[in-house]
Amino acid sequence: MSNRRDFFRYTLVAAAGAALTGCVQNNDKAIPQSSNPASVKGRPVVIATWNNLIATETAMKKLTEGGSALDAAEAGARIPEADPNDVSVGYGGLPDRDGNVTLDACVMDDKGNSGAVCFLKNIKHPVSVARKVMENTPHNMICGSGALEFALSQGFIEEDLLTEGSRKAWQEWLKEKKYQPVINIERHDTIGILAMDKDGRLSGACTTSGLSYKMSGRIGDSPIIGAGLFVDNEIGAACATGLGELVTQTLGSFLIVELMRMGYSPQAACEEAVNRIIRRAEAAGVTDYQAGFLALDKNGEHGAFSVVQGFNYALYQNNKNIVLEAGHKL
Ligand code: GLY
């Protein structure tokens, strides 16, 4: 694979003229290239799905205090997990159809290590349990009662994750029991967060309560490495938000990193992943859905794209912490 990367590196140098136009040729196919290939070593970056400015600020603070990219991603993800007003992550997340809040999360570091939990109940910070899975077990993913047992053994405490608001919303839903997730509700869905430290080391985290009123035991893309999150420190990282079934079926985050390996810019890679989602949705007859991706490459360049309008993201880079609207296909 490194030969392939070298091939593209050489192609870039040899085809400087083509690079000026933003494209190189590979087997007659134009590959959209990064527009800013300057190295940003020494300049940390944090990017997160949705308008989670406090999450990116918290993550950047970790980095500036000397924490690792993994410390930063975890710290950022814990912000919406603890926020009772965030209805799709952690405490206050809308429950499944039986009234249980069940959480999925994963982390991945610069060395390719990963950990995940899914169908975890009564623990406010699944992202931190996922990190413990990575660091303290020989496994990648633990689910359900096993994940809870493991969390308790690591010192986490059990809490009721239903708030008054989420309980009321569920009781209201019970009246009709109509399974119809609302797209792009405020701060909707998963938080995926990617961080790069000053030495260019990348890590990420992804955490969610999943689709509201889902079937008991349903797992989405968020805890699945390659679907909700993927990090390859030589190339870049990506994370996803939106309808987990489609993201999983297209392995969106892994796809984006592999496209960047082939020479796609982070933006072009996100757009191609969205194209695949749309084709999959059409084939499956799925309508009225959202899926969005973020990508961050080794140069600190980012990409963001979604299926429909309404996906925004927080970016902390060059001492600025801002919310940006992602482009969309439909
Ligand atoms: N993207 C979150 C989920 O589908 O569970």
Side-chain angles (χ1 to χ4, degrees):
M1 202 42 95
S2 71
N3 286 345
R4 189 170 171 77
R5 267 199 304 279
D6 287 343
F7 167 77
F8 283 111
R9 222 172 273 142
Y10 288 126
T11 309
L12 264 175
V13 174
L20 282 175
T21 67
C23 290
V24 294
Q25 297 293 315
N26 172 36
N27 297 336
D28 299 329
K29 191 175 175 222
I31 295 177
Q33 294 292 302
S34 297
S35 56
N36 172 22
S39 168
V40 290
K41 213 167 172 189
R43 286 193 273 155
V45 189
V46 179
I47 187 167
T49 54
W50 307 106
N51 54 349
N52 273 300
L53 284 172
I54 302 175
T56 43
E57 188 183 335
T58 305
M60 185 56 81
K61 189 162 177 279
K62 271 277 173 215
L63 288 178
T64 49
E65 287 169 356
S68 67
L70 182 63
D71 294 334
E74 179 191 1
R78 286 172 63 97
I79 298 297
E81 283 184 344
D83 182 352
N85 298 316
D86 193 319
V87 296
S88 52
V89 180
Y91 177 55
L94 290 169
D96 65 15
R97 54 171 70 165
D98 301 329
N100 293 309
V101 181
T102 69
L103 305 178
D104 303 335
C106 73
V107 296
M108 193 164 187
D109 75 7
D110 57 298
K111 296 178 196 71
N113 300 311
S114 67
V117 286
C118 56
F119 196 53
L120 176 63
K121 294 182 198 168
N122 297 337
I123 300 288
K124 195 185 267 179
H125 290 297
V127 72
S128 297
V129 185
R131 181 169 179 173
K132 294 282 187 201
V133 170
M134 181 181 99
E135 292 176 342
N136 295 347
T137 81
H139 306 305
N140 283 340
M141 184 188 275
I142 305 186
C143 78
S145 55
L148 177 59
E149 203 178 303
F150 171 70
L152 297 176
S153 78
Q154 298 293 304
F156 292 85
I157 51 161
E158 279 195 84
E159 295 173 67
D160 182 2
L161 300 180
L162 269 184
T163 58
E164 205 188 317
S166 59
R167 192 186 308 275
K168 271 195 187 141
W170 172 61
Q171 282 163 347
E172 196 55 37
W173 177 82
L174 280 177
K175 290 180 186 162
E176 285 199 25
K177 294 191 179 172
K178 205 159 148 202
Y179 182 68
Q180 199 169 49
V182 184
I183 60 172
N184 287 331
I185 55 174
E186 198 192 351
R187 291 178 62 158
H188 163 87
D189 199 69
T190 309
I191 178 173
I193 180 163
L194 310 173
M196 186 165 73
D197 70 15
K198 64 179 174 33
D199 297 315
R201 281 187 290 261
L202 285 157
S203 292
C206 194
T207 181
T208 190
S209 52
L211 294 177
S212 46
Y213 317 126
K214 60 194 175 186
M215 289 175 68
S216 176
R218 179 264 184 192
I219 308 296
D221 59 308
S222 304
I224 297 175
I225 293 298
L229 173 72
F230 196 70
V231 177
D232 182 329
N233 204 57
E234 288 185 30
I235 305 297
C239 61
T241 183
L243 188 57
E245 281 71 8
L246 293 173
V247 176
T248 303
Q249 285 167 351
T250 51
L251 222 48
S253 295
F254 179 71
L255 172 67
I256 287 170
V257 172
E258 290 307 297
L259 290 170
M260 293 196 290
R261 192 189 307 279
M262 289 168 58
Y264 278 65
S265 68
Q267 183 60 30
C270 289
E271 291 180 18
E272 177 55 20
V274 164
N275 290 339
R276 303 264 182 115
I277 291 265
I278 291 169
R279 287 206 292 274
R280 179 86 275 279
E282 280 169 4
V286 177
T287 55
D288 296 334
Y289 62 96
Q290 173 66 301
F293 293 99
L294 297 179
L296 181 64
D297 75 8
K298 286 291 287 179
N299 297 318
E301 189 179 345
H302 80 276
F305 205 62
S306 63
V307 174
V308 293
Q309 193 170 13
F311 173 43
N312 58 21
Y313 59 103
L315 177 70
Y316 203 138
Q317 190 169 32
N318 300 327
N319 302 317
K320 273 190 273 181
N321 193 21
I322 50 174
V323 172
L324 294 163
E325 291 295 321
H328 58 97
K329 178 81 180 188
L330 302 180

